[in-house]
Amino acid sequence: MQFHLDGFRPGDPRIAPAGAQVAPRTDTVPGQVDVLIVGCGPAGLTLAAQLAAFSDIRTCIVEQKDGPLQLGQADGIACRTMEMFEAFGFSERVLAEACWINEVTFWKPDEAQPERIVRHGRVQDTEDGLSEFPHVVLNQARVHDFYLDVMRHSPSRLEPHYARRLLDVTVDRTATEFPVTVRLERTDATHAGQVETMQARYVVGCDGARSAVRRSIGRQLVGDSANQAWGVMDLLAVTDFPDIRYKVAVQSPHGNLLVIPREGGYLVRLYVEMDKLGDEERVASRQITVERLIGAARRILQPYTLQVEEVPWWSVYEIGQRICDKYDDVSAKEVPSRLPCVFIAGDACHTHSPKAGQGMNFSMQDSFNLGWKLAAVLRKQCAPELLHTYSAERQVVAQELIDFDREWAKMFSDRPSQGGDAAGVDPKEFQRYFVRHARFTAGMGTQYGPSVICGDATHQQLATGFGIGTRFHSAPVLRISDARPLQLGHAGKADGRWRLYAFAGADDAAADARGGVRALCEFLEKSHDSPVRRHTRPGQDIDAVFDLRAVFQQGHRELAIEAMPALLLPRKGRHGLLDYEKVFAPDLNNGPDIFDLRGVDRQRGALVVVRPDQYVAHVLPLDAHQALAKFFGGFMLPN
Amino acid sequence: MQFHLDGFRPGDPRIAPAGAQVAPRTDTVPGQVDVLIVGCGPAGLTLAAQLAAFSDIRTCIVEQKDGPLQLGQADGIACRTMEMFEAFGFSERVLAEACWINEVTFWKPDEAQPERIVRHGRVQDTEDGLSEFPHVVLNQARVHDFYLDVMRHSPSRLEPHYARRLLDVTVDRTATEFPVTVRLERTDATHAGQVETMQARYVVGCDGARSAVRRSIGRQLVGDSANQAWGVMDLLAVTDFPDIRYKVAVQSPHGNLLVIPREGGYLVRLYVEMDKLGDEERVASRQITVERLIGAARRILQPYTLQVEEVPWWSVYEIGQRICDKYDDVSAKEVPSRLPCVFIAGDACHTHSPKAGQGMNFSMQDSFNLGWKLAAVLRKQCAPELLHTYSAERQVVAQELIDFDREWAKMFSDRPSQGGDAAGVDPKEFQRYFVRHARFTAGMGTQYGPSVICGDATHQQLATGFGIGTRFHSAPVLRISDARPLQLGHAGKADGRWRLYAFAGADDAAADARGGVRALCEFLEKSHDSPVRRHTRPGQDIDAVFDLRAVFQQGHRELAIEAMPALLLPRKGRHGLLDYEKVFAPDLNNGPDIFDLRGVDRQRGALVVVRPDQYVAHVLPLDAHQALAKFFGGFMLPN
């Protein structure tokens, strides 16, 4: 955490100074904004928190409900999501408060007494080394709270406008400045019926599975009909079921059930399989009560007892895997000729079974993908064509998730096979599938294909553990200026900046070497072709757009900070203070070092280019200076 | 973190429900309180945060300044202090925001060119395994903020009353209920001159080196006269001194200097040796300016440059090691016949050189020691004679610290010896002394002697790593109910409860064993002599006074939570919910396990009794049931 750069400020460093151009918040929504976000769910708040970092962007976020969410809904937080929370600066609050999922246990009918369930397997929840963060569970409402804090303390001082129902969205393609007009109806008692009209450059619908924004751009969710009803309930209960604090998948002759232990040590969530539904039948028609859910859970958990003391929240739903074919208002064939100005994200584009714990996590990754792109275009860092990559990237990976999710939900709902029984799902097979897909569940299943912002794999072998298109996989390092052990990936904050991680090769091994890292610095500092020189504006800090960090192979005591090129010890801010946080050594005290862990070529080194959303954009040789310049020239505007 | 025990509550779980008997806060101080704390420094706030946990105790804290501290003063946070912050629930906030001290470097005059300093040594700051927490540096004002948050969110909703100057403290030894009367003068513009009178059962002076409370009980600081002036300044500066982000001790022909890097990555603190003072001379007489401090720092750092951009805070002071012989209002010879009702803590009892980074840390340990004792007496859990142990324990360890501190400060101020020079301190010797005393500096130097609350060492060999009288040294374990890896010591929260850690011996190794842990549970649950039965009141949770935790030797998958005695899976709270957080297995994935790390006898096991302030009170055999009962009977009241 870096602060005091522009002078000492007392108090909480997470509370940024308000931007000079930030207008005081009013009760009514502003008439014109750069971005209007519809919906205060995980997708909307991730986007709002990202945009709020830039006080030169006018953002507004509206929500139909009359205040922040208090309870219920999603709760699973994948490792990948924790990595993103770290970038937003609140991972430690989630770690402290959440329930950690460490192991999963599997239960099936006892072969001797099929009325009784028995444990037949245990697996570690997250494979070793997959992420520096655990898989945790925490009420979605608390995630909202943390994002709301980030927004409130940002330079934009952004806060939602609640009790707004979207009436309509109209796009005037001839308008040059604010093509989208949105009408909102206020729904609180004092203002009920009042209509507000807003103009926006961009509108993002994060308004859920029944998205009004989606409807306004003529898109729809398509996919499986939902033919299985499930119940979900949060319980304070007393049970002799011994695994109630583990994540548990129970298959029984009476149906299936998933146990998700919850934060605080007492609360538990049960997902309970309920009725098969007819084609096109909605679960509401079944009038399922919480008593029925509890009754079903009790039958499934036999011979164990379940004494329910309190049900803070419950719901019933159909499983349905549905997806939208495009996430913006430009059809596939119009892409070359038109620019998008209305987007959808989260449940508005895809719905899942909650079983895989993916809905909330995937939705936040949608808008984390979109956020930096909107910011870069609005701040004139990138050409607006960049915005096409949002739908192109996120729709494809959502389709992959849906396919996974469909298989998983099907296995979950199938009867367990017994003995020689050919029908149904083999419990061992179920467990194997779970393990195989643990990466997907952890949020690591995403790999973006080659595009203007994602390079080809020509030089992937220089750093095999940093797969192009996958999220940058952090590893431990030591900062040479103060010998502090830390995670290299935590340099990547949600600040819209690109990270260039230069891993030194053999020619940088000597203390006085003029190797690849130093030559790269020389190019970036001095060449006319340097992306740093091309795309950073006069007056900005030298690392305002590209944050270069170097990792050497020597121990930290063999490296001298004072011998580093200026770009690795830059002067910044009002006072021209030195930034000492750019150069790292491997952490040699705790097993294999970062070069071994991530398959970095010790001879040649590697340059790993990481996007503002933490995904690897490119892997290049350290001396591929022109290739680097060309890559950024492909979508960034010259200053 | 456990919550929702008495029913689900939305929102931040750190915000406790307000106690039913808590009166709304008024602008004036209350007329009668259980405890009045004078002074909102680290000692006062630690005490206030501890007492605030109990809404049945009426606490008031007053401060002479007119609002919370904004900057300056102390900044070093020892590992031991971090452990205490964990107990108060804000360690993760400090870890995220603070500067970590990882290594210390030592500089001395270059033998060839004595005008130039050169690095002659580096040492790791904290020895491996000393604590699960690092040594960090953070503005004292932020520590205050975190405590103020704890108080504000506690069941007592405690907030300080600022702008109160203590006029006098009078004790009426004949009064049975509220023996102490205090008069306060308001100093804010609106109320200037108004005098408030309060009655209190206990008054604690945390009002600094010039403590008015100390004066009121006729005690004084005695010790060395201060004959060395030092300057301290927080800087935003540009320098080519390469170790500016390390903790550095510089000895030069121009004097000595200490570099302390600070939070945020840019700020740095320098302690600079200034003038020798005459006997009884105060530093104020020297009229030392910040320009002189900067000039001295520049001379000492030659050949390196120092360009100062901003000085957010600076000060000059004399080094003086002084201490008070007794920390309460009962003289040594009156101890058998009188009970204390006025105490002093922190700088009011002892002052140090800031060089060892001890003042703030030691002060907080003072009042952490006192807090649970006051609470236990006020809540009628313990006899008031317990309060004598505060001065008895803390005065002795402070004297030890003073002795260390005097030596350290002397070495620090001495000229470095050169070549065959017999005078001055050998730089190598200086570095060796630093290393040897690293435990003291980390806050681990404290060991309380035998007393009514600290057992003798008869059975110390059962757990050699849990020294009786030292702080409970945490180690990694796995919770068996959910396979979560965690630190055993983090079970110890600042909630006034005693922890009984039962380490299983060989006879508890079989899954169905009836070994020492189970026999202990049987005794504690059923025997008439059981301290749990004797000292826990009807209606209280079974672990309200004694929090029993068991650590077995098997891997967690070999242990069945459902086979545990009721005391290790207790029903608690309004709903009688099960508490699943009492039983642990060793963490077998990461090196030596807790039995090896802490020298616990694998054959016989051990019972480690830990006080509410995290110090080991006793080590006993698991079957020493009567000895355990006798120990608690020695100072606890029957219910």
Side-chain angles (χ1 to χ4, degrees):
Chain A
M1 222 176 153
Q2 289 179 287
F3 46 92
H4 297 325
L5 174 60
D6 289 321
F8 182 90
R9 285 189 309 117
D12 187 342
R14 293 192 193 277
I15 304 178
Q21 64 277 67
V22 171
R25 185 192 147 85
T26 55
D27 175 57
T28 54
V29 298
Q32 277 189 341
V33 294
D34 295 311
V35 184
L36 169 65
I37 303 164
V38 183
C40 273
L45 291 173
T46 302
L47 182 58
Q50 173 66 94
L51 294 175
F54 310 103
S55 63
D56 50 350
I57 297 177
R58 286 166 302 164
T59 307
C60 177
I61 178 166
V62 298
E63 163 62 43
Q64 189 157 353
K65 296 197 192 72
D66 56 6
L69 185 70
Q70 291 295 307
L71 48 78
Q73 308 201 22
D75 56 6
I77 298 174
C79 304
R80 169 67 200 128
T81 303
M82 288 300 302
E83 294 172 4
M84 184 182 68
F85 288 169
E86 167 63 30
F88 278 105
F90 60 81
S91 68
E92 77 278 5
R93 296 183 69 178
V94 178
L95 287 177
E97 194 172 319
C99 176
W100 294 29
I101 302 296
N102 314 288
E103 282 190 356
V104 186
T105 73
F106 298 86
W107 291 67
K108 63 167 189 177
D110 185 347
E111 301 214 352
Q113 294 171 274
E115 286 296 303
R116 305 168 57 95
I117 54 169
V118 290
R119 188 194 295 124
H120 73 92
R122 289 178 187 260
V123 298
Q124 188 173 317
D125 182 78
T126 306
E127 70 179 279
D128 285 337
L130 187 64
S131 172
E132 71 276 20
F133 286 105
H135 171 197
V136 305
V137 170
L138 182 65
N139 195 330
Q140 176 182 336
R142 293 296 291 149
V143 173
H144 290 200
D145 289 346
F146 298 138
Y147 272 126
L148 292 168
D149 273 355
V150 170
M151 292 156 54
R152 194 177 297 125
H153 297 155
S154 74
S156 304
R157 297 287 187 271
L158 183 58
E159 295 196 56
H161 287 87
Y162 293 102
R164 260 74 177 187
R165 190 167 70 82
L166 184 74
L167 292 177
D168 46 47
V169 179
T170 52
V171 178
D172 175 4
R173 300 240 163 234
T174 64
T176 50
E177 282 253 66
F178 295 90
V180 199
T181 301
V182 173
R183 292 195 316 138
L184 301 164
E185 181 188 332
R186 299 188 69 166
T187 58
D188 60 307
T190 319
H191 307 92
Q194 290 182 17
V195 173
E196 294 168 322
T197 302
M198 292 182 79
Q199 293 186 305
R201 294 184 204 272
Y202 299 105
V203 169
V204 187
C206 302
D207 48 346
R210 298 194 179 83
S211 169
V213 176
R214 184 184 67 225
R215 207 182 320 116
S216 80
I217 56 171
R219 304 218 175 272
Q220 53 190 20
L221 293 175
V222 291
D224 305 345
S225 66
N227 58 3
Q228 178 67 58
W230 280 77
V232 53
M233 50 187 175
D234 288 338
L235 303 179
L236 291 170
V238 177
T239 180
D240 54 359
F241 180 66
D243 287 4
I244 197 74
R245 301 304 304 165
Y246 285 89
K247 179 172 173 182
V248 188
V250 181
Q251 296 173 287
S252 94
H254 302 287
N256 298 322
L257 174 152
L258 194 66
V259 177
I260 305 287
R262 289 286 297 273
E263 66 272 17
Y266 301 103
L267 194 68
V268 66
R269 169 167 290 192
L270 301 184
Y271 288 99
V272 190
E273 185 184 33
M274 300 300 291
D275 309 5
K276 283 257 181 273
L277 302 176
D279 281 356
E280 302 300 316
E281 185 187 356
R282 296 298 301 269
V283 70
S285 66
R286 296 290 175 122
Q287 307 279 333
I288 295 171
T289 61
V290 69
E291 289 72 25
R292 270 196 60 201
L293 294 190
I294 294 170
R298 285 190 173 136
R299 279 191 299 280
I300 294 169
L301 287 173
Q302 284 175 60
Y304 299 102
T305 60
L306 178 71
Q307 177 191 329
V308 175
E309 299 291 343
E310 190 176 319
V311 186
W313 180 79
W314 67 281
S315 182
V316 291
Y317 62 93
E318 315 96 344
I319 287 186
Q321 283 81 36
R322 293 162 181 257
I323 186 168
C324 203
D325 64 335
K326 194 90 174 22
Y327 289 5
D328 60 31
D329 61 337
V330 177
S331 67
K333 66 171 194 287
E334 287 175 317
V335 165
S337 59
R338 273 174 70 170
L339 291 167
C341 55
V342 180
F343 304 86
I344 50 177
D347 287 353
C349 334
H350 44 75
T351 63
H352 313 272
S353 142
K355 246 41 90 278
Q358 284 300 331
M360 173 164 74
N361 292 288
F362 213 74
S363 295
M364 289 189 278
Q365 294 294 324
D366 279 349
S367 57
F368 196 38
N369 180 294
L370 178 58
W372 70 268
K373 295 173 182 175
L374 281 173
V377 169
L378 285 164
R379 306 177 83 208
K380 303 202 182 340
Q381 215 173 62
C382 294
E385 286 72 17
L386 174 66
L387 298 174
H388 286 305
T389 65
Y390 165 64
S391 181
E393 290 190 331
R394 293 303 299 173
Q395 202 277 345
V396 172
V397 296
Q399 186 63 57
E400 289 167 12
L401 175 65
I402 294 275
D403 294 343
F404 159 68
D405 195 21
R406 184 186 296 113
E407 193 71 16
W408 174 242
K410 184 170 165 304
M411 285 187 115
F412 205 92
S413 293
D414 268 1
R415 288 288 82 80
S417 66
Q418 309 245 343
D421 188 1
V425 60
D426 173 17
K428 280 289 162 202
E429 178 59 27
F430 179 76
Q431 185 176 334
R432 272 193 296 274
Y433 189 85
F434 177 88
V435 175
R436 205 164 70 237
H437 283 83
R439 286 189 164 233
F440 230 122
T441 313
M444 308 306 176
T446 296
Q447 180 159 20
Y448 299 131
S451 74
V452 65
I453 51 169
C454 231
D456 57 47
T458 311
H459 301 286
Q460 180 70 71
Q461 81 284 359
L462 292 177
T464 54
F466 295 120
I468 298 169
T470 67
R471 74 81 165 82
F472 182 77
H473 189 176
S474 184
V477 288
L478 230 69
R479 195 158 59 197
I480 77 159
S481 59
D482 64 355
R484 176 170 171 174
L486 34 69
Q487 285 285 338
L488 184 60
H490 296 191
K493 296 300 173 204
D495 55 8
R497 294 195 289 164
W498 289 74
R499 262 87 204 174
L500 306 178
Y501 294 105
F503 289 86
D507 59 358
D508 271 303
D512 57 348
R514 311 296 309 165
V517 168
R518 287 173 176 83
L520 175 68
C521 289
E522 172 119 358
F523 166 74
L524 290 174
E525 272 176 66
K526 304 196 179 147
S527 169
H528 268 292
D529 298 333
S530 158
V532 172
R533 294 192 56 174
R534 266 199 204 146
H535 306 296
T536 309
R537 292 193 194 126
Q540 283 189 306
D541 279 336
I542 193 69
D543 64 354
V545 179
F546 300 100
D547 179 11
L548 175 70
R549 313 260 174 162
V551 186
F552 290 87
Q553 294 187 42
Q554 298 96 310
H556 75 281
R557 292 185 181 183
E558 297 168 56
L559 290 158
I561 188 75
E562 63 272 28
M564 291 294 154
L567 208 57
L568 292 175
L569 188 62
R571 296 191 66 164
K572 291 165 58 176
R574 185 159 69 87
H575 291 315
L577 301 180
L578 291 160
D579 182 344
Y580 283 90
E581 309 203 351
K582 305 289 194 185
V583 188
F584 304 90
D587 184 342
L588 300 170
N589 299 320
N590 300 295
D593 76 358
I594 188 169
F595 286 82
D596 286 342
L597 285 170
R598 300 291 171 259
V600 179
D601 190 316
R602 289 188 181 271
Q603 190 58 37
R604 301 182 57 201
L607 177 65
V608 180
V609 179
V610 180
R611 305 165 14 160
D613 57 5
Q614 302 178 314
Y615 280 79
V616 177
H618 219 335
V619 172
L620 287 169
L622 285 172
D623 60 1
H625 302 168
Q626 293 305 324
L628 183 69
K630 189 171 166 219
F631 176 72
F632 285 113
F635 60 93
M636 280 197 171
L637 300 173
N639 62 24
Chain B
M1 221 177 154
Q2 289 180 286
F3 45 92
H4 297 325
L5 174 61
D6 289 321
F8 180 91
R9 283 189 311 119
D12 187 343
R14 292 193 194 274
I15 305 178
Q21 65 277 65
V22 172
R25 185 191 148 85
T26 55
D27 175 57
T28 52
V29 297
Q32 277 190 340
V33 294
D34 295 312
V35 184
L36 169 66
I37 303 163
V38 182
C40 273
L45 290 172
T46 302
L47 181 59
Q50 173 65 93
L51 294 175
F54 309 103
S55 63
D56 50 350
I57 296 178
R58 286 168 301 164
T59 306
C60 178
I61 177 166
V62 298
E63 164 61 44
Q64 189 157 351
K65 297 198 190 72
D66 57 6
L69 186 70
Q70 292 295 306
L71 49 78
Q73 307 202 19
D75 56 5
I77 298 174
C79 304
R80 169 66 200 128
T81 302
M82 288 300 300
E83 295 171 4
M84 185 183 65
F85 288 170
E86 166 64 30
F88 278 105
F90 60 81
S91 67
E92 76 278 5
R93 295 182 71 179
V94 178
L95 287 177
E97 195 172 319
C99 177
W100 295 29
I101 302 296
N102 313 287
E103 280 188 358
V104 185
T105 74
F106 297 86
W107 291 66
K108 63 166 188 178
D110 186 346
E111 302 213 352
Q113 294 172 272
E115 284 297 303
R116 305 168 58 93
I117 54 169
V118 290
R119 189 194 295 123
H120 74 94
R122 289 179 188 258
V123 299
Q124 189 172 315
D125 181 77
T126 306
E127 69 179 279
D128 285 337
L130 187 65
S131 171
E132 71 277 20
F133 287 105
H135 171 198
V136 304
V137 170
L138 183 64
N139 194 329
Q140 176 181 335
R142 294 295 292 150
V143 172
H144 289 198
D145 289 346
F146 298 139
Y147 272 127
L148 291 168
D149 273 355
V150 169
M151 290 156 55
R152 193 178 295 125
H153 297 155
S154 74
S156 304
R157 297 288 187 272
L158 183 58
E159 296 194 55
H161 286 87
Y162 293 102
R164 259 77 176 187
R165 191 168 69 82
L166 184 73
L167 293 179
D168 46 48
V169 179
T170 50
V171 178
D172 175 3
R173 300 238 162 235
T174 64
T176 50
E177 284 252 64
F178 295 91
V180 198
T181 300
V182 172
R183 290 194 319 138
L184 301 164
E185 181 187 333
R186 300 188 69 167
T187 58
D188 59 306
T190 319
H191 306 93
Q194 290 183 17
V195 173
E196 294 169 321
T197 303
M198 293 181 79
Q199 293 186 301
R201 294 183 203 273
Y202 300 105
V203 169
V204 187
C206 304
D207 47 346
R210 298 193 179 80
S211 170
V213 176
R214 184 185 67 223
R215 206 183 322 116
S216 81
I217 56 172
R219 304 217 176 273
Q220 54 192 19
L221 293 176
V222 293
D224 303 348
S225 67
N227 57 4
Q228 179 66 58
W230 280 76
V232 52
M233 49 187 175
D234 288 337
L235 303 179
L236 292 169
V238 178
T239 179
D240 54 358
F241 180 65
D243 288 4
I244 196 74
R245 301 303 304 164
Y246 285 90
K247 179 173 174 181
V248 188
V250 181
Q251 296 173 283
S252 95
H254 303 286
N256 298 323
L257 174 153
L258 193 68
V259 177
I260 305 288
R262 289 285 298 271
E263 64 274 16
Y266 302 103
L267 194 68
V268 66
R269 170 168 289 192
L270 301 184
Y271 288 98
V272 189
E273 187 183 31
M274 301 300 292
D275 309 2
K276 284 257 181 271
L277 302 177
D279 281 356
E280 302 300 313
E281 185 187 357
R282 296 299 301 270
V283 71
S285 66
R286 296 291 175 123
Q287 306 277 336
I288 296 172
T289 63
V290 70
E291 288 73 25
R292 270 196 60 201
L293 294 189
I294 294 170
R298 284 191 174 134
R299 277 190 301 279
I300 294 170
L301 287 172
Q302 284 175 58
Y304 299 102
T305 60
L306 178 71
Q307 176 190 328
V308 174
E309 300 291 342
E310 189 176 319
V311 186
W313 180 80
W314 68 279
S315 183
V316 290
Y317 61 93
E318 315 96 343
I319 287 187
Q321 284 82 34
R322 294 165 181 255
I323 187 167
C324 202
D325 65 336
K326 193 91 173 23
Y327 289 7
D328 60 32
D329 61 337
V330 178
S331 68
K333 67 171 194 282
E334 287 174 318
V335 165
S337 59
R338 273 173 71 171
L339 292 167
C341 55
V342 180
F343 305 86
I344 50 177
D347 287 353
C349 334
H350 45 75
T351 62
H352 315 272
S353 143
K355 247 39 91 281
Q358 283 300 331
M360 173 163 76
N361 292 287
F362 213 75
S363 295
M364 290 190 278
Q365 295 293 325
D366 279 349
S367 57
F368 196 38
N369 179 296
L370 178 59
W372 70 268
K373 294 172 182 175
L374 280 173
V377 169
L378 284 164
R379 305 177 83 209
K380 303 200 182 345
Q381 216 173 61
C382 294
E385 285 74 15
L386 174 66
L387 298 174
H388 286 304
T389 66
Y390 165 65
S391 181
E393 291 190 330
R394 293 302 300 173
Q395 203 276 344
V396 172
V397 295
Q399 186 62 57
E400 289 167 12
L401 175 66
I402 294 275
D403 293 343
F404 159 69
D405 194 22
R406 184 184 298 114
E407 192 71 15
W408 175 240
K410 184 172 167 302
M411 286 186 114
F412 206 93
S413 292
D414 267 1
R415 290 285 84 78
S417 66
Q418 309 242 350
D421 188 0
V425 61
D426 174 18
K428 280 290 164 203
E429 178 59 27
F430 181 74
Q431 185 176 337
R432 272 194 297 274
Y433 189 86
F434 178 88
V435 175
R436 205 165 70 238
H437 283 85
R439 288 191 162 230
F440 230 122
T441 313
M444 309 306 178
T446 297
Q447 179 158 20
Y448 298 132
S451 74
V452 63
I453 52 170
C454 231
D456 57 48
T458 311
H459 301 286
Q460 181 71 71
Q461 81 284 1
L462 292 177
T464 54
F466 294 120
I468 298 169
T470 68
R471 73 82 163 82
F472 182 76
H473 189 176
S474 184
V477 289
L478 230 68
R479 194 159 57 197
I480 76 160
S481 60
D482 63 355
R484 176 169 172 175
L486 35 68
Q487 286 285 339
L488 184 60
H490 297 192
K493 297 301 173 202
D495 55 9
R497 295 195 289 163
W498 288 74
R499 264 85 203 174
L500 307 177
Y501 294 105
F503 289 86
D507 59 359
D508 271 302
D512 58 349
R514 312 293 309 163
V517 168
R518 287 173 176 84
L520 174 68
C521 290
E522 171 120 356
F523 165 73
L524 290 174
E525 273 176 65
K526 304 196 179 146
S527 168
H528 267 292
D529 298 333
S530 157
V532 174
R533 293 192 57 176
R534 267 198 203 147
H535 307 296
T536 311
R537 291 191 195 126
Q540 284 189 306
D541 279 336
I542 193 68
D543 63 355
V545 180
F546 301 100
D547 179 11
L548 175 70
R549 314 259 174 163
V551 186
F552 290 87
Q553 294 188 42
Q554 298 96 312
H556 75 282
R557 291 184 182 184
E558 296 168 57
L559 290 159
I561 188 76
E562 64 272 28
M564 291 294 154
L567 208 57
L568 292 174
L569 187 62
R571 296 191 65 165
K572 290 165 60 176
R574 184 159 69 88
H575 291 315
L577 301 179
L578 291 159
D579 182 343
Y580 283 91
E581 310 203 350
K582 304 290 192 185
V583 188
F584 304 90
D587 184 342
L588 301 171
N589 299 321
N590 301 298
D593 76 359
I594 188 169
F595 286 82
D596 286 343
L597 285 170
R598 299 293 170 259
V600 179
D601 190 317
R602 289 187 182 274
Q603 189 58 36
R604 300 182 58 199
L607 177 64
V608 180
V609 179
V610 180
R611 305 166 12 162
D613 56 7
Q614 304 179 312
Y615 280 78
V616 176
H618 220 333
V619 172
L620 287 169
L622 286 172
D623 59 1
H625 303 169
Q626 292 307 323
L628 184 68
K630 190 173 166 220
F631 176 73
F632 286 113
F635 58 94
M636 281 198 172
L637 300 172
N639 63 25

